[in-house]
Amino acid sequence: MAKQESQQKEDYTPHYQILLNPTAMDEMFEKIMHKIVVEKKYRDPNYYAKNLAEDLGLNSRYISAIINLRFHQNFSQLMNDYRIMEVKYMLKDVHFNKLKLEEISTMVGFSNRQSFYTAFFNRCGVTPKEYRQTHAIKLERDLLDERRMRSLKGADRDE
């Protein structure tokens, strides 16, 4: 009996998936990505699937179905992925060294500290602080190497 139930679950195709036209879904996917990535809507902590659907003139269930089929995740997870990508970039960039983690998390669209830390740890396996420290050490090494190379090039010109 359990094997039969398992087989039925594997064969099950959600109703919304049958209704989605692949060509239309590709077009909507492009529009979704443009809103989220190009327009950086992920930075708005109050931007939800409902807002995206309104912006695109679609039903929020249709938006959710496309995101689920393309990314195998929900809208919130997708938004957090882009937020985390930007946070990781900022934590490696010397220009953001003086900013507190909470300031960075707010800049990329997290509405509170706990959701930021949870999302970051779930995706990266380390805390934002540990990530920053690890990359700060690498950044220091890279800067030292760059300075050495400049001084060696300067010494070569003097000879």
Side-chain angles (χ1 to χ4, degrees), residues 3 10 66-67 79 93 110 128:
K3 187 175 184 179
E10 289 176 17
I66 293 169
I67 291 171
M79 296 292 274
D93 190 326
F110 282 100

Side-chain angles (χ1 to χ4, degrees), residues 74-121:
N74 64 37
F75 179 80
S76 296
Q77 292 167 329
L78 178 65
M79 296 292 274
N80 283 344
D81 279 352
Y82 281 97
R83 291 172 180 148
I84 296 298
M85 279 191 266
E86 188 165 356
V87 166
K88 287 169 62 176
Y89 167 79
M90 293 169 83
L91 293 177
K92 292 186 226 178
D93 190 326
V94 69
H95 297 99
F96 298 100
N97 274 355
K98 297 210 183 329
L99 291 179
K100 294 178 183 177
L101 292 170
E102 287 75 19
E103 292 172 307
I104 291 174
S105 73
T106 300
M107 289 171 69
V108 301
F110 282 100
S111 58
N112 64 63
R113 183 177 190 242
Q114 186 59 43
S115 63
F116 165 58
Y117 276 78
T118 301
F120 193 94
F121 188 83

Side-chain angles (χ1 to χ4, degrees), residues 24-25 27-29 31-32 49-64 66:
M25 191 169 64
E27 289 174 16
M28 284 302 113
F29 170 75
K31 290 178 181 181
I32 289 168
K50 177 184 162 198
N51 304 104
L52 178 61
E54 287 172 5
D55 287 349
L56 298 177
L58 298 170
N59 180 307
S60 61
R61 286 187 178 185
Y62 188 64
I63 296 288
S64 295
I66 293 169

